[in-house]
Amino acid sequence: MKLAFADNSEDAEIFFLGVPYDATTSFRPGARFGPEAIRSASYNFETYDCFLKKELPHVLDLGNVTLTTSYKELSAELSSILRSKKGFPVIAGGEHSITPLIVRELKKKYEDLNVITIDAHMDFRDKYMDSKNSHACASRRVSEIVGIDNMMLIGIRSFSKEEEENVEYYTSFEVHKRLKEICDRVKEMKNAYLSIDMDGFDPAYAPGVGNPEPYGLRPEEVREIIDNAALVGCDVVELCPPYDNGNTACLAAKMIEEVIVRA
Ligand SMILES: [Mn+2]
């Protein structure tokens, strides 16, 4: 299956890639089914954005990378695809551990790359369950690539004592109260890569995730953040279809639409 708004033109300015990798899942498994669930959910929506009064742009759906449990193999395949493909990347996970691999490639292209993460979790552990490449270490690995001053984490409401770092982050409660101010900060981040961990949303909106965390963001808040971001690419990760009632996949597909209609 391809995305509803995909076409085959090789000159599309946006490409979509599924990365069904979930080898380090720590709680509820199934993120590998994320890309297909997003494609299927995309058929629910019009290809016209009635708020922006704009047709969705053409997207080349590249299919999925090979399903593997080896991070090294994944890294090699992902790098070669990202190197060879021109255009705005939209990547569907898979778990959050894929984000540092994408950021590493984009950093070669954009010297001043910034990263904005929507996430309930800090993901700043150096190591988790004996792995440096665990999804619980994703933002730590990203910080080692772009520098801790060039990232911001939005929606945070869960971290361990050892993870508390001098990184710019906003809790979901702060987002509810100071969205405008946070969007102004978002606006300042040039060449921004956006990583949307679906657990950043409240579980009421996004029940189908690997690590649900109450007190989350509302979809319209994330839409506002997207609206203010100068994006060069994005990923949507941690969607876990076996635990979904279908709504999380729809929300993931909608967020992708919100990104590409502005890309
Ligand atoms: Mn998370």
Side-chain angles (χ1 to χ4, degrees), residues 96 117-123 135 156 158 197-200 209 211 213 237-238:
H96 216 164
T117 298
I118 305 292
D119 199 343
H121 308 96
M122 194 78 108
D123 286 351
H135 67 114
I156 300 299
S158 168
D197 181 329
M198 290 304 292
D199 67 36
V209 296
N211 299 79
E213 187 70 39
V237 296
E238 298 287 345

Side-chain angles (χ1 to χ4, degrees), residues 114-118 151-154 168 170 175 178-194 221-231:
N114 288 290
V115 176
I116 301 168
T117 298
I118 305 292
M151 62 194 295
M152 72 194 276
L153 312 175
I154 303 175
E168 180 176 0
Y170 300 95
V175 175
R178 303 162 47 201
L179 182 59
K180 167 92 182 49
E181 198 186 312
I182 293 165
C183 284
D184 287 344
R185 270 293 296 136
V186 165
K187 244 187 238 172
E188 290 168 12
M189 303 196 102
K190 306 289 171 238
N191 293 332
Y193 180 76
L194 177 67
E221 291 169 332
V222 176
R223 180 178 184 269
E224 198 63 28
I225 288 159
I226 291 171
D227 202 39
N228 282 282
L231 296 181

